[in-house]
């Protein structure tokens, strides 16, 4: 697995962090709708994924790829957070 192959997972983590920043309540983070078809589409559409080769070694040159699945929009952040570890 490379960095580009991790992109779908990082998009889901980003969505969860946005919801947490908006509400401050871990229990209010909605689930991401995701199924086997979405998994297959992520592999096919993600440059550098298992079924697709491409992209660039330079992160600034990566193409924009929308993650598959259903993401609930998050509200405005109510503060700031940091993860140290």
């Amino acid at each position: 697995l490379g960095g580009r192959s991790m992109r779908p997972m990082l998009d889901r983590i980003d969505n969860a962090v946005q919801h947490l920043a908006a509400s401050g309540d871990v229990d209010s983070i909605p689930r991401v709708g995701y199924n086997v078809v979405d998994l297959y589409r992520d592999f096919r559409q993600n440059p550098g994924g298992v079924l697709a080769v491409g992209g660039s070694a330079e992160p600034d040159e990566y193409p924009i790829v929308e993650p598959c699945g259903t993401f609930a929009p998050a509200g405005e952040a109510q503060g700031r957070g940091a993860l140290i570890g």
Side-chain angles (χ1 to χ4, degrees), residues 5-52:
S5 299
M6 295 298 295
R7 193 178 210 166
M9 186 183 307
L10 296 174
D11 287 331
R12 283 151 186 77
I13 293 170
D14 180 57
N15 184 260
V17 170
Q18 288 177 16
H19 279 282
L20 183 60
S23 69
D25 181 16
V26 173
D27 294 327
S28 71
I29 299 173
R31 295 182 63 89
V32 174
Y34 197 70
N35 59 38
V36 175
V37 174
D38 293 325
L39 173 68
Y40 179 74
R41 287 180 50 220
D42 270 338
F43 278 128
R44 285 191 43 93
Q45 295 174 1
N46 187 19
V50 173
L51 297 178

